[in-house]
Amino acid sequence: MNKIPFSVYDFFAYLSSGAVVLTTIDYVWGLGVLRRKEVGPVLGIALVILAYVTGQIVAQFSSFLFEHIIVKRVLQRPLTLLLGAKPHWIVFAWLFPNFHRAFPEAMQQRIKEQAASRSCTLEGEGLFLHAYSVVTASERAQARLDDFRNQYGFARNMSFAFLVSTIAIILAHFYGEHRVHLRWSILAGFAAITLFYRYLKFVRQFSYELFLRYAELPRS
């Protein structure tokens, strides 16, 4: 009964992003919840639950936009880039240089040799799933990968939440009945962009760590 029902990831990835969206709603609609000097226990619990639920919704939409559209379809997945694929558009390599940095050719060859030694002829998603199943047989490796997953999940959710805040504040400034300041949209936009770069850093590091460990495993 004394166990806290939220994990560290719940707090940072869900509650935090949900709190950003709820704070924005309170600001642009002028609800005044944030200006209260005291918040009763019932309202406090309700706000925590609402922030958590909102954070779950944010996670769903941020995953769809950032992972399935921007990374998978526009920038390409980190696995593909690490193994030497060229960017779809050269400007992407300039805007996101670290994300498009490939493994050295010698490391790429070690990964291919490791896969061949395990009779794996798969590529792309198939190779990723094969390597993941092999590497995560080690609990230590699994914990290390989980750390990167949690970090990129947090950065992804927060970036999306601040993106929503930026758009909401701009719309409220020009079309809303409640007066809001554009400076907050600038700060929110800066946070969204910065956290998006952090997301790309950690989502790449997840694949980097996975295949680095995979290449160094004993050959079958």
Side-chain angles (χ1 to χ4, degrees), residues 64-77 81 86-90 92-93 95-96 99-100 196 200:
F64 174 75
L65 176 61
F66 290 164
E67 292 185 17
H68 297 285
I69 295 181
I70 295 178
V71 168
K72 187 175 181 180
R73 298 185 182 182
V74 179
L75 298 180
Q76 299 188 71
R77 297 185 59 184
L81 297 170
K86 301 300 181 182
H88 285 154
W89 190 26
I90 193 64
F92 292 153
L95 290 174
F96 313 106
F99 185 75
H100 287 84
F196 179 69
L200 291 182

Side-chain angles (χ1 to χ4, degrees), residues 107-202:
M107 179 58 68
Q108 295 181 38
Q109 185 61 34
R110 287 181 66 85
I111 293 171
K112 294 175 182 177
E113 291 173 355
Q114 180 69 264
S117 74
R118 296 175 181 273
S119 301
C120 176
T121 58
L122 301 172
E123 297 181 353
E125 181 72 11
L127 177 59
F128 178 88
L129 294 175
H130 160 71
Y132 185 83
S133 65
V134 173
V135 170
T136 55
S138 165
E139 292 185 1
R140 183 177 178 181
Q142 176 73 73
R144 177 68 171 166
L145 291 174
D146 285 344
D147 286 340
F148 286 121
R149 181 187 288 112
N150 291 345
Q151 290 183 77
Y152 82 64
F154 167 73
R156 181 199 68 201
N157 294 352
M158 290 295 286
S159 177
F160 184 84
F162 278 114
L163 176 63
V164 170
S165 295
T166 302
I167 297 172
I169 294 171
I170 291 174
L171 291 176
H173 177 79
F174 290 105
Y175 303 107
E177 297 179 0
H178 177 69
R179 185 172 180 269
V180 297
H181 298 285
L182 276 179
R183 63 174 176 266
W184 296 116
S185 69
I186 296 173
L187 291 174
F190 176 77
I193 293 171
T194 303
L195 286 164
F196 179 69
Y197 271 87
R198 297 296 291 173
Y199 161 66
L200 291 182
K201 169 185 169 64
F202 288 121

Side-chain angles (χ1 to χ4, degrees), residues 41-59:
V42 175
L43 179 59
I45 293 174
L47 288 174
V48 170
I49 295 173
L50 188 57
Y52 182 79
V53 173
T54 303
Q56 291 280 358
I57 296 172
V58 166

